[in-house]
């Protein structure tokens, strides 16, 4: 079963918690147990699992990425967003997650985050539920 | 089919080979062919595929991560383990693997490694076998 | 259904577009909808999703990785390719992708790239279609 989650980002770079959005689609599907694929269909975004408690964790990750992959880095790609493409491949575009009791089977502190690296834009997260 | 592998880590940071543990659970399940999802349900661990021959390879990877993501980095998160959260997102929390002949269908030199970045702790690896 | 894509790489380090190769195997399988697992069965390669339009994007990513993970880095592993193993774990070895209308359901600009980090060699990409 195929679903889409549309996410409006608000900054050039930010992590947005999409856990509730994904669980909402799982609820719509009526799936109790199985797996699902989460895929961001853009080349300047990523999707990752990390702490869904203290927002400072995702701030620290974002700041680390900005320092490691600078906006200006003598890149060849002329659109000026090579840093965003590099961050996308470091963080990754797909997750494969377990579903139990009708929701994502995550650890106590885990959430799912869309990484926006070249926004603000309207982004599509594709969800396939097995 | 859902299984868990419990792993007791022994250092703050280390890679632990979980290939045999995962293959043991596949054996218990009786699965001959298909796929499986490996998911670490913590925000300061990762799971990766790399060389299961010379242990120096994983030592080099760990040393690289420690240098790239220092323990002290002017982070905002107050628990003092932001480096571990960053390493978790760089390495990733989930793998989707092929199963053939009753075991993980890996290349000659490949093994599966849990990355502990804020241990020692008792860690849970979730396994869903399709 | 299990398929293999054999890729001959030509340099020590390069990204090779395997999107058409994967879609060809999907065509052979007759699959219209579902998911597939893409897995590189080597410890010095990776697989990633990024821009399939301007080749400068992948050039920038490769140059970034070379700078971040130098060939000579005081590594313990004696084969002289520790940098390649590290790049493999940063980029990742597996993807789980959605299939719709008989092909990979990618965004407008996305393609799938094999990352060769210790070539030239003959590489095997494993594909499991659900």
């Amino acid at each position: 079963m195929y679903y889409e989650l549309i996410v409006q980002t608000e900054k050039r770079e930010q992590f947005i918690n999409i856990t509730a959005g994904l669980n909402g689609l799982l609820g719509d599907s009526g799936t109790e147990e199985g797996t699902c694929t989460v895929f961001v269909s853009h080349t300047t975004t990523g999707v990752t699992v990390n702490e869904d408690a203290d927002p400072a964790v995702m701030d620290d990750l974002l700041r680390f990425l900005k320092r490691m992959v600078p906006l200006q880095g003598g890149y060849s790609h002329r659109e000026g967003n090579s840093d965003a493409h590099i961050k996308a491949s470091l963080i990754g575009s797909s997750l494969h997650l377990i579903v139990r009791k009708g929701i994502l089977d995550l650890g106590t502190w885990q959430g799912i985050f869309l990484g926006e690296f070249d926004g603000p834009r309207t982004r599509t997260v594709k969800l396939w539920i097995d």
Side-chain angles (χ1 to χ4, degrees), chain A:
Chain A
M1 281 177 295
Y2 177 78
Y3 292 85
E4 289 182 356
L5 185 69
I6 305 301
V7 180
Q8 179 62 50
T9 64
E10 290 167 353
K11 300 181 182 173
R12 181 170 195 269
E13 297 181 66
Q14 67 182 137
F15 282 104
I16 295 184
N17 195 326
I18 58 172
T19 318
L22 295 174
N23 278 331
L25 295 178
L26 282 170
D28 292 349
S29 78
T31 307
E32 279 298 308
E33 282 213 320
T35 57
C36 70
T37 302
V38 179
F39 182 77
V40 288
S41 61
H42 310 281
T43 58
T44 52
T45 60
V47 63
T48 192
V49 182
N50 219 307
E51 179 171 323
D52 185 7
D54 177 6
V57 169
M58 299 314 283
D59 292 346
D60 285 338
L61 175 57
L62 192 60
R63 203 152 35 221
F64 170 83
L65 287 171
K66 284 182 181 179
R67 202 165 48 215
M68 186 171 68
V69 193
L71 180 55
Q72 308 293 341
Y75 304 113
S76 307
H77 182 50
R78 291 184 179 189
E79 290 181 28
N81 62 354
S82 275
D83 68 302
H85 288 287
I86 292 168
K87 287 164 191 160
S89 276
L90 288 176
I91 293 298
S93 305
S94 76
L95 293 174
H96 198 238
L97 302 170
I98 300 170
V99 178
R100 290 170 76 210
K101 300 184 185 170
I103 58 171
L104 295 173
D105 185 31
L106 303 175
T108 315
W109 306 105
Q110 289 180 314
I112 312 299
F113 296 86
L114 170 77
E116 170 64 86
F117 304 124
D118 191 30
R121 300 202 205 187
T122 304
R123 302 299 201 172
T124 303
V125 181
K126 292 169 182 269
L127 179 68
W128 183 276
I129 304 170
D130 289 303

